[in-house]
Amino acid sequence: MTTHHGWAGSPALRVAVQLPSSTARAGVVLCPPLGQEGVIAYRTLRLLADRLEARGVASVRYDPSGRGDSADDDDPDAQVRSARAAAALLRRSGVEHVAFVGLASAALVAAAAATDEDALVVWDAPASGRAWLRRQRALAAIAIGPDRVLDRTESLVGIDLGPEELAAIGALTYPPRAATTVAVVRPGGAAPRALASAEVLEVPGTAELLDGTSIDARIPGEAVEAVARRLDRWAPAAGVPTTPPAVAEVLDVDDRVSERVLQLGPHGLFAVETVSSAQDEDAPVVLLHNGGAEHRTGAVDYQVALARTLARDGVRVVRVDRRGTGESSAVRADEDAFLFAQEWVDDQHEVVRALRIPSERLAIVGMCAGAWIAGRAVVENPRLVVEISPNDYRRTPAAPGTYAESAQAVADASRLRRALRGPYNRLVPAVVRDAVARRGALGGVVGHLGPLVEHGTDVVVVAAPEDIERFERYGGRRAVRRWGARVSVVEVPDGDHALFSLAMRRAVVDEVRSRVATTFPTRRALVR
């Protein structure tokens, strides 16, 4: 499979365009779902793009402007405008027939962007923008709590929306259509009422993809294949000549900061490098690890703002997709999750080696599973490690796939297992349960941080109360007493583990920026 990465349009979208050889039968715009839905569905849409390319159909995936790795944009209609801009990119490459595919919340965006000449596939579509917002607010009340509005910006699950964008999304509906329209639904489901005349295609697997967390989400290979087959039947039999898309290799974020895509190490890991025009040759380098197998969409796109802010301070920043994450490595429906696995530690080795970063100029910042990887950077010997929301301190890596399997086992626990949880938690003292956990997979803070600190690395833990409590339970206080100022802890009282809270993300950006400035005081900050 051949994917053209870069930026296109104004404000620029970060795009991934797949063109089959020199001709294409049609083109498909794969609209990304909003917030955490987009995080969970990222690899599924990549697999769909591959299946389409194998059938001679081009596709474009993209981050809407103002989201992910795209250019900043505060236009409340950016979602729909970005979908149309992605379609225009396909047409400029020579594609004559275009379909829009929208999964979950993206169904509303796809329906608004498609014209009467375009085909439309809505997959697990909400009834309306208002209905989607109601559900997301209910979920956010549970995941974040009542304090979800900050400076008139409302945090939902993985997305922040100002009043104008909330109004724009709430107003999205399904306009009447004459062209090919397909509603992909769960078994026994129905199309949105406004698309009652659409062809209905029942597929299994959507619940396993969307109804859990990013850890236990499963790519619905059968559903992807069904959607690809339906688009195959829609596309004309003959292809038309195409040319490589006009995508820029460099994004000028502003007149001082720019970004480019890198392919790093033997596995060609996808990464984005952010630099400034006035950067010193010996500028510090910050390597950013995302949490779990999550690309920089949803709440994780705080990394983009962090990278661009650090670059303005004169720091070189690299944010990377490890294997099985985002744009890195081939995607399969049955792919292993490398959560807490040696493969991701090896990816860190390869990235640092490929970038040729001296240890005295290196800082590594990671969230959740990314924090665990940063804590394993003994060979890299960075000056600074910042662990955001750490919750696992194992010294023995997990085998590929086993962490996700255990998460699924908890979510799909048997009746007997659910019955035993209560008595175990009531009858076994907490100190004993904690000791068992430390001897098991979760490990302990001292064993986790010891090799790093003793090699001269300063460690900062930034976490919400739930993760601070676990940090202390697994020996965090003992670690602070042992190493003093070499290990510091910053609690964010109104934060959350997943960084869904805007207050948590702002605290993380401010803390990382401050710690980098303290650790590398000789760098030259840009004049504002």
Side-chain angles (χ1 to χ4, degrees):
M1 301 296 175
T2 302
T3 304
H4 303 271
H5 292 289
W7 288 269
S10 180
L13 313 180
R14 199 276 302 170
V15 297
V17 182
Q18 292 186 219
L19 292 178
S21 61
S22 58
T23 64
R25 298 166 54 207
V28 176
V29 179
L30 299 174
C31 301
L34 308 179
Q36 190 68 4
E37 292 175 345
V39 173
I40 292 172
Y42 199 94
R43 299 281 283 183
T44 293
L45 295 181
R46 268 199 63 194
L47 181 62
L48 178 54
D50 289 348
R51 297 283 173 85
L52 291 171
E53 184 180 351
R55 290 169 164 82
V57 177
S59 68
V60 57
R61 293 174 289 107
Y62 63 94
D63 292 341
S65 58
R67 306 286 176 188
D69 291 319
S70 291
D72 295 337
D73 188 5
D74 57 5
D75 183 350
D77 297 315
Q79 293 284 343
V80 174
R81 193 197 62 231
S82 294
R84 290 173 176 158
L89 179 63
L90 283 178
R91 291 189 174 98
R92 288 196 298 272
S93 297
V95 170
E96 295 179 352
H97 300 275
V98 171
F100 288 79
V101 173
L103 171 60
S105 51
L108 292 157
V109 175
T115 70
D116 280 340
E117 287 75 39
D118 301 324
L120 173 67
V121 178
V122 297
W123 180 355
D124 203 47
S128 65
R130 290 178 62 188
W132 183 80
L133 284 175
R134 280 197 302 270
R135 184 171 188 274
Q136 294 303 306
R137 282 170 168 147
L139 292 173
I142 298 170
I144 304 173
D147 300 325
R148 297 186 296 102
V149 180
L150 187 62
D151 299 335
R152 300 182 70 231
T153 298
E154 183 173 353
S155 292
L156 299 180
V157 182
I159 188 169
D160 299 325
L161 298 170
E164 293 81 9
E165 193 169 9
L166 279 166
I169 291 173
L172 290 175
T173 57
Y174 301 100
R177 289 187 48 78
T180 298
T181 305
V182 180
V184 180
V185 302
R186 304 182 188 201
R193 185 176 303 175
L195 296 177
S197 61
E199 173 190 343
V200 175
L201 180 64
E202 289 191 14
V203 299
T206 303
E208 290 77 6
L209 171 67
L210 292 176
D211 290 358
T213 68
S214 62
I215 293 175
D216 55 22
R218 284 162 269 186
I219 296 175
E222 184 178 344
V224 169
E225 185 63 24
V227 174
R229 283 197 305 267
R230 183 61 187 86
L231 288 165
D232 185 26
R233 293 200 306 274
W234 158 79
V240 297
T242 57
T243 57
V247 297
E249 296 181 357
V250 175
L251 169 68
D252 290 324
V253 176
D254 53 35
D255 58 356
R256 296 171 295 180
V257 173
S258 62
E259 297 186 330
R260 63 174 179 143
V261 170
L262 304 176
Q263 304 282 336
L264 299 174
H267 299 285
L269 301 177
F270 180 91
V272 177
E273 179 186 51
T274 309
V275 297
S276 75
S277 57
Q279 188 171 279
D280 289 337
E281 290 184 5
D282 61 348
V285 179
V286 174
L287 174 62
L288 296 180
H289 283 303
N290 40 18
E294 299 183 347
H295 186 68
R296 289 167 302 282
T297 54
V300 187
D301 70 4
Y302 83 92
Q303 284 196 348
V304 181
L306 174 59
R308 294 170 182 175
T309 298
L310 287 172
R312 293 184 184 100
D313 291 340
V315 179
R316 178 187 175 199
V317 187
V318 177
R319 48 193 193 267
V320 63
D321 289 346
R322 301 175 298 272
R323 274 177 282 177
T325 301
E327 293 293 329
S328 289
S329 66
V331 60
R332 306 191 319 268
D334 61 346
E335 63 186 10
D336 286 326
F338 295 115
L339 283 155
F340 302 102
Q342 183 62 40
E343 281 78 358
W344 279 357
V345 178
D346 295 341
D347 287 346
Q348 178 171 253
H349 295 332
E350 295 299 339
V351 167
V352 173
R353 183 179 297 117
L355 294 172
R356 299 180 180 179
I357 308 170
S359 60
E360 66 271 12
R361 293 198 283 116
L362 174 63
I364 303 179
V365 179
M367 170 196 168
C368 191
W372 177 80
I373 297 166
R376 304 282 291 181
V378 178
V379 173
E380 290 74 24
N381 193 24
R383 286 273 304 280
L384 173 68
V385 160
V386 181
E387 296 195 10
I388 303 161
S389 300
N391 63 359
D392 196 301
Y393 305 100
R394 69 184 67 215
R395 294 302 300 166
T396 302
T402 58
Y403 189 92
E405 288 170 2
S406 65
Q408 289 171 12
V410 172
D412 303 330
S414 67
R415 187 174 299 176
L416 175 61
R417 183 169 181 172
R418 290 196 300 269
L420 292 175
R421 281 179 189 163
Y424 176 80
N425 290 333
R426 285 197 311 271
L427 300 175
V428 178
V431 65
V432 176
R433 297 200 307 269
D434 295 344
V436 170
R438 284 196 297 272
R439 285 200 302 270
L442 290 179
V445 174
V446 172
H448 169 70
L449 294 182
L452 199 63
V453 176
E454 289 165 6
H455 274 73
T457 299
D458 291 333
V459 177
V460 181
V461 173
V462 184
E466 60 182 301
D467 290 319
I468 294 295
E469 189 273 335
R470 173 170 285 193
F471 174 83
E472 293 179 347
R473 220 181 335 137
Y474 293 134
R477 291 184 180 180
R478 186 153 53 94
V480 172
R481 286 197 301 269
R482 174 179 293 191
W483 293 305
R486 303 299 301 277
V487 176
S488 55
V489 180
V490 178
E491 180 174 352
V492 184
D494 51 354
D496 66 303
H497 172 80
L499 274 66
F500 292 150
S501 160
L502 178 58
M504 180 71 180
R505 271 173 278 131
R506 287 183 177 178
V508 164
V509 170
D510 290 345
E511 194 63 39
V512 171
R513 187 182 182 195
S514 172
R515 297 290 177 155
V516 170
T518 301
T519 304
F520 305 99
T522 59
R523 76 190 191 290
R524 181 175 63 193
L526 299 182
V527 177
R528 280 175 167 66

